[in-house]
Amino acid sequence: MATTDTPAMQPSEEVLISIVLPVYQVQEYLPECLDSVLGASQSFQGVEVVAVDDCSPDASGALLDEYAARDQRLRVVHLPQNVGLGRARGEGLARARGDYVWFVDSDDRLADGALAAVAERLKRTEPDVLLVDHALLDPEGGLERNVRAHLFRDAPETFTLAERPGTMDLVMTAWSRVLRRDFLLGLDVEFGHGYYEDISVTYPTLLAARRLSMLDRVCYHYRRGRQGAITNTSSPKHFDLFGQYERIFDFVDREAETAEPFRRAVFDRTVRHATTVLATPGLVPETMRREFFRQTSEHFRRFRPRDYSHPSGLRGLQYRLVERGAYSAYAALEPVNRLRLTLRTTLGRARRTARRAPRLGATALRRAYYRACLQLPVDDRLAVYAAYWNRGYACNPAAVYEKARELAPGIRGVWVVAKDRTGSIPPGVEYVVDGSARCLRTMARAKYLVNNVNFPYDLPKRRGAVLVQTQHGTPLKKMGTDLRDHPAAARGMNFDRLVEQCGRWDFLVSPNPHTTEVFTRVYPGGYEVLETGYPRVDRLVNASLDEVNRVRDALGIAPGQTAVLYAPTHRDHQDQAAPLLDVRRFADQLGDDHVLLVRAHYFDAPGTVPSRGVVDVSSHPSIEDLCIAADVLITDYSSVMFDYAALDRPIVIYAPDWETYRRARGVYFDLLAEAPGAVATTQEQLAKVFLGGEYAGPHMAERRSGFRARFCPYDDGHAAERVVRRVFLGEPANENGPAQAGS
């Protein structure tokens, strides 16, 4: 196979360690990996990096060349075709010149000072294999040390496997050991093809080593939970496991003098590995699980040592069922085994975290309990609802919930609500308190999840669940990934996490074509867009005159009074909201035949003191009620204008800080030029608009008509029904599509 190599350059000192770095589709992580090896965090210089670009389709190859141009210790091999991780490692090994070789994964990183610590131990002990400890790197950047770190403690500087057989319990990954190159080449072993390719090298090197050493230091950070990692991927390639272990047993047969004493330990690891893969949800495709079990059973009978005896307990029962090929009985035990594995792993991790940091420990225990509950059966008739970060019963989720009770009564709906907001839940609506054990259990078991914001990142959606993202407003201001260019508004937003969250969505509800165009770009994902209109707007469109009068009466609006709703939005670029309208003065300017309803954004503390003609409605549970009651809306950049437009009532834009806002937050269109009604930029202009009646004139009705045509085309009062029929009843989206404006 013809390859393209960067020219070898003479390193500044003798090469002790060759790092072989296979690279494929990791451009997001590659710079961090290379910096961790070649950067200032490593003082040891006697190292070379042989990076193998396995015909990566992204920019990884170009990144390697850029780094190689700056650092002579990096050599790049460009393969003309993709050969897979195992063969890529072999290509790198063939070009390595160091006394020792370390196979590093290009989405991981070395710990600070790791090379110096490793080099010092190699020079002093000259082992065949040096085992190094690692920590798990989670998506949030947190580190958690290897659960078997205790095996590194009190280990002699050198030993044999016979002296410390417990070493077999360590992870059998290529990156967890540094190998003497001549020793490795002399074993006549190679990395396998496909999944689990490294065990056909890591087992033999451990079994054949005459001198082992263990470094009780975290030298390697393994990235856990990366999208595309084999531990997260459903694939037939998990069957590759059996072929890899066949190669290991071939080695044991060939090198019986040194390896035979460990045949039983290798066999036990084989069965444990296969049953763990089978027990891990989502790895072996559902239609292939029986065949995977059959091959596990065949493998068990073929390689079982003569003196083998089954372990005790649940594992022993599993192994007996595997040996007999009793799939039905084994499958009946699987839920118990999955729960046991999850509890053992996650609760153990949580307890270790709690010992290190009690506050973090509570969070870890919460996650552990949730992950354990994910092993419980899914409840196909359970839907979980939440809105505005669990602030209460509101918005699109509330409208969907109410319509689901009518059209899909067999679906039980449960709301997640913050402890101090339970009073917002209407009588007869079931709820759970955010963070409680019941909440975590309910969320883990639910088939359906409906929210107008993202559910907590650390509580991932179970496989097979359906997540409906309703959002909560038509975008005037920049949203999602577009905020990368507006740091003042983004406020440290984790965009990688945001994109990962979007990947969990199954449906995205859109109120209009403008929103669809923006949201599908700034919230990338494989979800289905439901262009249904916003369910919460149904309430406005369907409100009867009797309902309008009832709401106005409840708010204390006198018959004949003009109700003006003032609802400004939040300023992300300001630490404290500064009042832009003197509401008491404005109420005086309007006169006694008007009442001013002031609605602060939920991110801002209400700052209005009720006075003559002024009512603070910031704590009112329903913005829809306020819209129904109001004769006219004053807002600035709030998405309430798009909902209110469905009522075809006057809207006034009061935008005294438009230029500042559009620069700091960014906007998708010029609101002042395309406003749904009159525009004022000072309080004097605003008063004039009202006192002269301009806001309700025919020219403003014409503006409003154009605005409605663009942003309210689906507002026919049946949006919630369309969502329920598509999501809960499984009807095709186009069967009950919305009527377009003007049709």
Side-chain angles (χ1 to χ4, degrees):
M1 177 172 57
T3 61
T4 305
D5 295 20
T6 56
M9 300 183 73
Q10 188 64 35
S12 57
E13 59 179 274
E14 183 181 354
V15 176
L16 177 66
I17 303 170
S18 291
I19 289 181
V20 172
L21 193 73
V23 175
Y24 184 79
Q25 213 158 353
V26 288
Q27 65 179 34
E28 180 181 355
Y29 308 105
L30 185 57
E32 183 179 6
C33 176
L34 291 171
D35 289 342
S36 77
V37 176
L38 299 170
S41 64
Q42 306 295 344
S43 59
F44 180 71
Q45 297 296 304
V47 62
E48 67 167 1
V49 178
V50 183
V52 182
D53 170 21
D54 191 14
C55 201
S56 184
D58 61 3
S60 295
L63 281 170
L64 290 174
D65 290 339
E66 287 178 19
Y67 272 80
R70 299 195 301 264
D71 196 318
Q72 64 177 1
R73 294 172 297 167
L74 173 61
R75 289 187 288 143
V76 183
V77 182
H78 293 286
L79 300 184
Q81 62 192 45
N82 179 258
V83 298
L85 182 55
R87 287 186 61 186
R89 284 193 176 125
E91 292 286 343
L93 175 61
R95 293 162 172 79
R97 298 173 298 177
D99 296 333
Y100 286 85
V101 62
W102 192 354
F103 297 97
V104 171
D105 285 355
S106 50
D107 55 346
D108 298 333
R109 69 189 189 196
L110 298 191
D112 293 354
L115 286 174
V118 167
E120 191 277 331
R121 177 61 65 89
L122 293 176
K123 290 176 180 178
R124 192 170 71 249
T125 61
E126 298 183 345
D128 294 325
V129 178
L130 172 64
L131 299 154
V132 297
D133 202 4
H134 70 278
L136 301 174
L137 175 65
D138 64 34
E140 298 172 311
L143 289 170
E144 177 189 328
R145 191 166 182 179
N146 165 33
V147 296
R148 293 182 175 83
H150 61 279
L151 294 175
F152 287 83
R153 301 186 191 111
D154 303 322
E157 283 208 331
T158 60
F159 57 91
T160 64
L161 189 58
E163 292 169 340
R164 292 180 66 86
T167 306
M168 285 284 288
D169 288 334
L170 293 171
V171 293
M172 289 291 177
T173 56
W175 48 258
S176 63
R177 57 210 63 210
V178 183
L179 306 171
R180 187 163 60 82
R181 184 165 60 93
D182 289 346
F183 161 73
L184 173 59
L185 295 174
L187 290 181
D188 192 25
V189 295
E190 61 181 17
F191 291 101
H193 305 316
Y195 281 11
Y196 310 106
E197 82 300 324
D198 47 359
I199 61 175
S200 55
V201 167
T202 54
Y203 274 94
T205 53
L206 190 62
L207 296 172
R210 303 297 178 95
R211 185 192 293 262
L212 294 166
S213 186
M214 297 175 72
L215 183 57
D216 184 17
R217 174 191 173 119
V218 171
C219 295
Y220 194 92
H221 295 166
Y222 172 73
R223 195 176 300 276
R224 177 172 57 188
R226 179 175 76 85
Q227 192 73 22
I230 67 170
T231 50
N232 293 333
T233 303
S234 175
S235 173
K237 293 183 179 180
H238 290 287
F239 282 82
D240 296 344
L241 180 76
F242 303 110
Q244 312 295 13
Y245 274 108
E246 285 182 12
R247 294 184 182 86
I248 295 167
F249 282 110
D250 286 346
F251 181 84
V252 172
D253 292 339
R254 192 178 80 220
E255 304 292 335
E257 183 179 345
T258 56
E260 183 61 34
F262 306 104
R263 183 184 294 273
R264 177 187 171 118
V266 172
F267 175 79
D268 194 61
R269 286 285 301 250
T270 302
V271 183
R272 194 190 326 166
H273 196 166
T275 54
T276 299
V277 169
L278 195 58
T280 303
L283 292 188
V284 179
E286 197 63 35
T287 57
M288 299 180 175
R289 295 180 62 77
R290 183 180 288 273
E291 175 59 19
F292 191 92
F293 178 85
R294 188 195 68 77
Q295 292 195 30
T296 303
S297 180
E298 179 184 293
H299 202 82
F300 190 107
R301 292 191 294 269
R302 177 181 173 189
F303 293 108
R304 173 178 173 166
R306 295 190 193 91
D307 61 344
Y308 185 76
S309 58
H310 295 95
S312 59
L314 177 62
R315 179 176 290 168
L317 175 59
Q318 282 184 300
Y319 284 17
R320 286 181 172 87
L321 295 174
V322 167
E323 186 174 20
R324 295 171 189 169
Y327 178 72
S328 296
Y330 183 91
L333 283 177
E334 276 201 304
V336 178
N337 187 44
R338 287 179 179 176
L339 188 59
R340 178 183 64 84
L341 285 171
T342 303
L343 284 171
R344 184 183 67 188
T345 302
T346 56
L347 291 178
R349 185 182 300 147
R351 290 190 187 101
R352 290 190 298 276
T353 302
R355 285 195 295 269
R356 294 195 304 269
R359 258 176 65 187
L360 292 176
T363 301
L365 285 168
R366 170 175 168 266
R367 293 174 183 168
Y369 181 73
Y370 177 80
R371 291 182 181 275
C373 291
L374 289 175
Q375 308 308 313
L376 298 171
V378 65
D379 187 339
D380 289 328
R381 307 188 75 77
L382 174 62
V384 167
Y385 295 83
Y388 296 121
W389 301 274
N390 306 327
R391 292 172 183 272
Y393 183 87
C395 195
N396 293 314
V400 173
Y401 168 83
E402 290 166 9
K403 187 57 66 173
R405 290 214 295 188
E406 174 190 336
L407 299 179
I411 302 294
R412 170 183 161 223
V414 180
W415 278 78
V416 177
V417 63
K419 189 175 183 179
D420 62 343
R421 299 283 182 142
T422 56
S424 72
I425 301 296
V429 175
E430 185 179 355
Y431 68 88
V432 290
V433 175
D434 179 33
S436 67
R438 185 173 170 230
C439 170
L440 297 170
R441 189 168 60 251
T442 301
M443 287 186 62
R445 296 198 62 197
K447 171 70 173 182
Y448 303 99
L449 301 162
V450 184
N451 206 335
N452 69 353
V453 295
N454 277 316
F455 284 98
Y457 173 79
D458 61 346
L459 303 180
K461 181 186 72 171
R462 75 179 297 148
R463 193 178 297 272
V466 176
L467 197 160
V468 183
Q469 171 59 256
T470 73
Q471 287 290 348
H472 53 275
T474 291
L476 163 65
K477 59 191 177 186
K478 291 292 181 74
M479 303 290 288
T481 56
D482 277 351
L483 288 177
R484 293 181 194 271
D485 298 327
H486 297 275
R491 295 279 182 130
M493 181 182 293
N494 186 327
F495 291 102
D496 291 337
R497 181 182 297 182
L498 171 66
V499 172
E500 187 176 338
Q501 291 272 57
C502 297
R504 299 176 182 179
W505 302 351
D506 296 286
F507 295 100
L508 171 65
V509 177
S510 173
N512 49 58
H514 163 76
T515 299
T516 300
E517 188 279 322
V518 171
F519 279 0
T520 53
R521 179 171 52 78
V522 303
Y523 297 121
Y527 48 77
E528 177 182 335
V529 179
L530 300 181
E531 286 196 313
T532 56
Y534 264 164
R536 69 187 185 190
V537 179
D538 291 350
R539 175 91 189 289
L540 279 60
V541 175
N542 296 327
S544 66
L545 181 60
D546 286 344
E547 185 174 9
V548 171
N549 290 332
R550 179 185 59 78
V551 174
R552 286 172 67 94
D553 184 62
L555 290 169
I557 302 170
Q561 269 191 318
T562 298
V564 180
L565 174 61
Y566 174 50
T569 195
H570 176 67
R571 269 71 173 164
D572 306 85
H573 58 283
Q574 293 179 346
D575 292 327
Q576 278 190 319
L580 298 172
L581 178 66
D582 184 338
V583 295
R584 298 172 75 175
R585 177 167 158 245
F586 183 58
D588 288 341
Q589 290 172 315
L590 291 177
D592 292 340
D593 58 343
H594 288 70
V595 60
L596 186 61
L597 309 175
V598 181
R599 173 78 164 192
H601 190 278
Y602 50 82
F603 282 164
D604 300 325
T608 300
V609 178
S611 59
R612 185 173 63 87
V614 178
V615 180
D616 184 358
V617 291
S618 300
S619 60
H620 194 283
S622 171
I623 183 65
E624 289 78 28
D625 273 0
L626 302 178
C627 288
I628 289 170
D631 297 294
V632 56
L633 170 70
I634 301 174
T635 188
D636 40 28
Y637 325 118
S638 171
S639 64
V640 71
M641 78 176 82
F642 302 97
D643 292 10
Y644 193 82
L647 290 167
D648 199 16
R649 298 177 189 171
I651 301 172
V652 177
I653 301 300
Y654 177 56
D657 61 343
W658 169 246
E659 291 303 326
T660 299
Y661 187 86
R662 74 187 299 182
R663 283 196 305 270
R665 178 65 198 233
V667 295
Y668 291 113
F669 62 91
D670 187 344
L671 176 63
L672 272 56
E674 302 178 56
V679 174
T681 57
T682 67
Q683 182 155 340
E684 289 68 28
Q685 288 179 354
L686 184 63
K688 184 178 179 182
V689 162
F690 273 85
L691 296 175
E694 177 189 349
Y695 74 94
H699 178 56
M700 298 309 159
E702 186 178 329
R703 281 193 186 181
R704 192 165 63 250
S705 177
F707 191 86
R708 281 164 46 79
R710 180 179 180 187
F711 296 111
C712 307
Y714 311 142
D715 291 334
D716 59 0
H718 298 284
E721 178 181 347
R722 287 188 283 271
V723 173
V724 170
R725 289 190 181 280
R726 178 69 188 97
V727 174
F728 296 109
L729 302 181
E731 296 180 5
N734 59 357
E735 276 197 2
N736 296 284
Q740 296 289 319
S743 64

